[in-house]
Amino acid sequence: MNEAVFQSFFLIFTGSAVIASLAIYGRQPLLVAYIALGALIGPYGLGWVQDVHLLSEISEIGIIFLLFLLGLDLQPQSLMAALKKVTVVTLISSLLFAAAGYLIGYIFGFSPTECLIIGAAMMFSSTIIGIKLLPTTILHHRHIGEMMIGLLLMQDFLAIFVLLVLLSGEGGQIDLMQIGFTLLSLPLLILFSWAFVRWVLLKLIARFDRMGEYIFLLAIGWCMGLSELAEVVGLSREIGAFLAGITLASSPISQHIALTLKPLRDFFLIMFFFSLGAGFNLGLLPEIALASLVLGCVMLALKPVTFRFLLKRQSEKNVLAWDIGFRLGQISEFSLLIAYVAFNASLIGVLASHLIQAAAILTFLISSYIVIFNFPNPIAVKEHLRRN
C-alpha cells in the first residue's frame, strides 16, 4: 500500500512537472495539463495510477485551503455588501442555466429526474477555476473581485442546498427536518467561529506571533477543525473553511498566513485536477460525446451573455460585466459532486453522470483558455495579462 501511494505521488508530480514544462513552452494553461495527465495515466488511460478514489479524497483538501485563503482575503463588511448586490443576479442566472440543462437533457432522451439533476448541475460555476485565475493582489480587493467572489459564494450556498436535498434521506427523498436543522446550524456556526476567533485565536496569535511554526500549525488546525465541524452539523467542509478564513481576515497576521499556506494549497490542487482527469471513463465517451459537446458549448455561450446582461442591468460597467461573465463561464466542481451523489442514490444512470462530468471537464478546459488568453490572470501566456 505504501509503495503504491508513493508511486502514485511520483507519477503525479514528476509527470506534472514534465507536462507543465511542455505546456509552458507551448503557451498552454497548466490546469489543462494536469487534467490531461490524469486522463493519460489514470485507470481509463495507461492505467499507471489506479486508486483514483483515494487521491480524489486527498485532493479535496486543496479546495478547503482554497476557500480558507479566499476568506482570509475578504473583510466581512465587503463580503456582505457584495452578497447584497449579487443575490438577484445569482438566482435569475441559476434558474436560466438549470432550464437550459433540463431542455438539453430532454432533447437527448434522458428521464425527467435525470433532466432535473442535469439542470441543477448546470447552475453553478467553478470556484476553483474562477479563484485560481483571479489575480490575488490586483483583483481580490477591487470591485470586480468582490462581485465575482460574491456570485461564487451565493452559488455555493445553492449547491449545498441541492446536495442537502439529495443527501437528506433514502434514495434522495427530501427530509425537511434534516434540511431545517442544517439551515439553522449555519448562523450558529458563524456565531461560534466569530466568538472563538475573538476570545481564543486572536489572543494566541498576539502572544506567539513571532513563532512562525506555531502560527502555521494554528492556522491549519483552525481551518481543518471548523471544516470538520461544518461537516458534522450538515453543511460542508468548504463552507467551514471559508468561515475559518473570513473570521481571521481582520487579524494583522492574516496575509502572512495566506502567503504561508499558498504552496500547500497548490500541492493539493494539482492532485484535484489530476484526479478529475483520471476519474473519467473514456470508454463511455462515444455514447455521450454529442450530448456533452452540446451541453458544454451551450453553457460556455450562455453563461457569459447572461452574467453580462444581468450585471449591466445593475449598472455595472460593460467591461466588468463581460470579464466576470467569461471568468464564470464554466460548470462547477459542485456539479461533479452532484453527479456522484445522484448516481449513488440511483437517481441517475451512468450515462447521465458521465454527461455531467464530460460537460464539466470540457467547460473547464475551454473556459481556462478563454480567460488565460484574454483577461488578467496569474498564469497568462501573454506578459501584459500576467498578474500575481
Side-chain angles (χ1 to χ4, degrees):
M1 181 65 178
N2 292 338
E3 184 68 24
V5 171
F6 180 83
Q7 186 178 32
S8 296
F9 272 68
F10 158 71
L11 290 170
I12 292 171
F13 290 100
T14 303
S16 294
V18 172
I19 201 168
S21 300
L22 296 175
I24 291 173
Y25 275 109
R27 295 184 175 274
Q28 306 301 309
L30 296 182
L31 303 183
V32 176
Y34 303 146
I35 294 174
L37 178 67
L40 177 64
I41 67 175
Y44 301 107
L46 296 175
W48 294 352
V49 176
Q50 290 292 332
D51 196 350
V52 179
H53 180 70
L54 175 61
L55 296 176
S56 180
E57 288 186 344
I58 296 173
S59 70
E60 289 178 8
I61 299 174
I63 306 176
I64 290 173
F65 281 134
L66 180 68
L67 270 295
F68 179 60
L69 295 180
L70 172 61
L72 284 173
D73 275 326
L74 281 178
Q75 293 296 325
Q77 297 86 349
S78 300
L79 174 62
M80 293 306 298
L83 289 178
K84 290 179 182 178
K85 293 179 181 178
V86 302
T87 299
V88 175
V89 174
T90 304
L91 293 177
I92 294 176
S93 62
S94 296
L95 289 174
L96 183 59
F97 302 150
Y102 183 96
L103 180 61
I104 293 172
Y106 177 79
I107 291 172
F108 283 96
F110 290 94
S111 71
T113 301
E114 289 177 327
C115 291
L116 281 173
I117 293 173
I118 291 170
M122 297 302 107
M123 292 195 297
F124 318 113
S125 301
S126 171
T127 301
I128 292 181
I129 299 289
I131 302 303
K132 181 71 174 176
L133 298 181
L134 185 67
T136 303
T137 56
I138 300 298
L139 296 182
H140 272 191
H141 302 289
R142 291 187 180 178
H143 181 60
I144 180 175
E146 292 175 354
M147 290 293 291
M148 187 172 148
I149 291 167
L151 282 165
L152 287 169
L153 285 173
M154 282 298 298
Q155 289 184 352
D156 287 351
F157 291 143
L158 286 176
I160 290 167
F161 181 78
V162 172
L163 290 171
L164 284 175
V165 173
L166 296 178
L167 293 168
S168 62
E170 292 297 324
Q173 297 299 313
I174 298 177
D175 185 341
L176 293 178
M177 184 174 294
Q178 176 62 35
I179 294 175
F181 172 77
T182 301
L183 294 178
L184 178 64
S185 67
L186 178 58
L188 294 177
L189 186 65
I190 293 173
L191 181 62
F192 166 78
S193 59
W194 173 81
F196 191 84
V197 166
R198 179 173 182 179
W199 301 111
V200 179
L201 282 188
L202 291 182
K203 294 183 182 300
L204 290 173
I205 290 172
R207 184 168 184 177
F208 303 112
D209 60 348
R210 295 186 180 182
M211 300 176 63
E213 181 180 349
Y214 174 73
I215 298 300
F216 176 77
L217 181 62
L218 190 67
I220 293 179
W222 172 236
C223 171
M224 303 299 284
L226 197 61
S227 297
E228 190 61 26
L229 180 59
E231 180 77 9
V232 169
V233 299
L235 294 167
S236 75
R237 291 187 176 94
E238 290 78 13
I239 290 295
F242 178 76
L243 287 177
I246 201 168
T247 50
L248 268 180
S250 58
S251 168
I253 206 170
S254 62
Q255 290 307 303
H256 169 75
I257 295 173
L259 288 173
T260 304
L261 291 181
K262 279 181 180 178
L264 197 59
R265 174 204 65 183
D266 291 340
F267 173 88
F268 288 106
L269 285 181
I270 290 173
M271 294 182 62
F272 173 83
F273 287 108
F274 174 89
S275 61
L276 180 63
F280 186 78
N281 187 347
L282 298 173
L284 295 175
L285 191 57
E287 298 184 59
I288 58 168
L290 180 59
S292 60
L293 184 63
V294 171
L295 184 59
C297 290
V298 166
M299 289 300 125
L300 285 167
L302 182 62
K303 289 197 172 190
V305 173
T306 301
F307 283 124
R308 183 266 176 195
F309 175 78
L310 293 174
L311 290 170
K312 195 76 167 59
R313 289 289 296 253
Q314 286 198 337
S315 302
E316 299 294 344
K317 293 181 179 179
N318 195 50
V319 173
L320 179 143
W322 276 122
D323 192 320
I324 293 178
F326 279 108
R327 289 182 185 274
L328 301 181
Q330 69 292 114
I331 303 171
S332 173
E333 55 276 356
F334 272 114
S335 305
L336 303 174
L337 188 55
I338 288 171
Y340 174 79
V341 170
F343 177 73
N344 285 345
S346 300
L347 293 172
I348 61 175
V350 65
L351 289 181
S353 175
H354 274 69
L355 169 64
I356 296 172
Q357 294 178 53
I361 293 173
L362 176 66
T363 60
F364 281 3
L365 298 180
I366 297 179
S367 177
S368 295
Y369 276 112
I370 291 173
V371 174
I372 284 170
F373 284 103
N374 294 280
F375 300 98
N377 64 89
I379 56 176
V381 296
K382 299 177 182 178
E383 192 67 35
H384 71 280
L385 292 177
R386 191 173 301 135
R387 303 285 192 276
N388 294 320

